[in-house]
């Protein structure tokens, strides 16, 4: 469960039952499903003859949807959708700037859609360059079984949060936390242990 820590006292001016119902909700349970599959094309450079040390460079190609966030109680967040519509209407009518009502995640706010769900994707680049160093040989010269170890970085770009309608969620930028992490987390560390068996 993630606490909806957004302070809703400032919404007292918005007189509506939907907003009061949203104020009563303190927690929403989300399920996070990773979707980090890739195919890759990598090349090894062995700078020293008969030495297992090597550099690795190449590309990963895969899904741009890294993690899917969705509430576990399907369709139960219609009150958040209604409250958010009322706040939006109030902002337009009275030229105010109240934040959306939803699940507060760092300085992002995940809002519910018309189906009563919070449905958010964390997206990265489809093509992800890779640089790394390693030890070992993938095909042993004297033995059938071989081991190799690679440590590197997958450059996937700056992750973004996108609603299921394709709209990107903008950070408020008013707090430290998840935004600061995502600002420098443009590369994903990778440790690979590779085992190969030579049949013939």
């Amino acid at each position: 469960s993630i606490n909806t820590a957004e302070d809703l006292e400032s919404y007292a001016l918005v007189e509506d039952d939907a907003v009061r119902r949203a104020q009563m909700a303190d927690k929403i349970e989300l399920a996070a499903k990773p979707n980090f599959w890739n195919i890759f094309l990598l090349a090894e450079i062995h700078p020293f003859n008969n030495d297992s040390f090597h550099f690795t460079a190449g590309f990963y190609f895969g899904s741009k949807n890294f993690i899917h966030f969705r509430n576990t109680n399907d369709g139960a967040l219609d009150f958040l959708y209604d409250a958010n519509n009322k706040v939006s209407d109030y902002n337009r009518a009275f030229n105010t700037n109240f934040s959306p009502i939803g699940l507060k995640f760092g300085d992002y706010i995940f809002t519910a859609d018309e189906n009563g769900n919070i449905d958010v994707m964390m997206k990265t680049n489809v093509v992800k360059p890779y640089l790394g160093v390693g030890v070992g040989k993938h095909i042993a010269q004297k033995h059938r079984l071989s081991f190799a170890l690679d440590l590197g970085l997958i450059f996937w770009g700056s992750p973004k949060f996108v609603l299921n309608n394709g709209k990107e969620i903008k950070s408020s930028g008013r707090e430290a936390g998840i935004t600061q992490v995502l600002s420098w987390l443009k590369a994903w560390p990778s440790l690979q242990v590779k085992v190969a068996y030579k049949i013939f």
Side-chain angles (χ1 to χ4, degrees):
S1 298
I2 301 176
N3 189 9
T4 51
E6 176 74 7
D7 183 7
L8 296 178
E9 292 180 3
S10 59
Y11 295 98
L13 293 175
V14 186
E15 292 294 335
D16 191 89
D17 288 339
V19 176
R20 283 192 285 273
R21 287 178 62 201
Q23 290 174 324
M24 296 173 63
D26 60 346
K27 290 188 178 182
I28 296 171
E29 186 173 285
L30 292 185
K33 297 181 180 180
N35 188 34
F36 192 40
W37 64 267
N38 289 277
I39 60 175
F40 55 86
L41 179 64
L42 302 177
E44 290 183 5
I45 302 173
H46 291 259
F48 310 109
N49 291 332
N50 299 321
D51 193 278
S52 63
F53 175 80
H54 59 266
F55 297 101
T56 308
F59 295 92
Y60 279 74
F61 307 89
S63 173
K64 61 182 178 181
N65 300 325
F66 182 61
I67 298 179
H68 184 196
F69 297 95
R70 202 171 193 275
N71 51 290
T72 56
N73 50 343
D74 186 62
L77 305 180
D78 54 341
F79 64 93
L80 282 181
Y81 177 75
D82 294 339
N84 207 30
N85 282 341
K86 295 300 180 183
V87 172
S88 297
D89 292 343
Y90 190 92
N91 283 338
R92 284 192 296 269
F94 296 97
N95 198 27
T96 52
N97 192 29
F98 291 128
S99 299
I101 292 181
L103 181 65
K104 193 171 184 182
F105 187 66
D107 46 8
Y108 292 85
I109 297 177
F110 294 171
T111 57
D113 59 21
E114 63 275 10
N115 298 315
N117 295 310
I118 290 177
D119 200 334
V120 180
M121 283 284 188
M122 180 178 171
K123 292 182 177 287
T124 60
N125 294 339
V126 173
V127 180
K128 311 169 184 74
Y130 175 85
L131 291 175
V133 295
V135 292
K137 294 185 177 181
H138 294 86
I139 300 178
Q141 295 177 347
K142 298 181 180 179
H143 307 281
R144 290 191 177 275
L145 191 64
S146 62
F147 297 89
L149 184 71
D150 255 279
L151 177 63
L153 292 173
I154 301 173
F155 295 90
W156 63 355
S158 296
K160 299 177 181 178
F161 292 110
V162 180
L163 296 173
N164 62 343
N165 62 5
K167 182 180 178 181
E168 182 180 343
I169 302 174
K170 299 294 185 181
S171 165
S172 64
R174 292 177 294 189
E175 299 179 18
I178 190 69
T179 301
Q180 280 193 338
V181 173
L182 293 180
S183 66
W184 61 261
L185 191 60
K186 297 180 181 180
W188 185 260
S190 171
L191 176 63
Q192 302 178 49
V193 179
K194 302 174 184 179
V195 181
Y197 183 80
K198 185 168 57 177
I199 299 176
F200 52 83

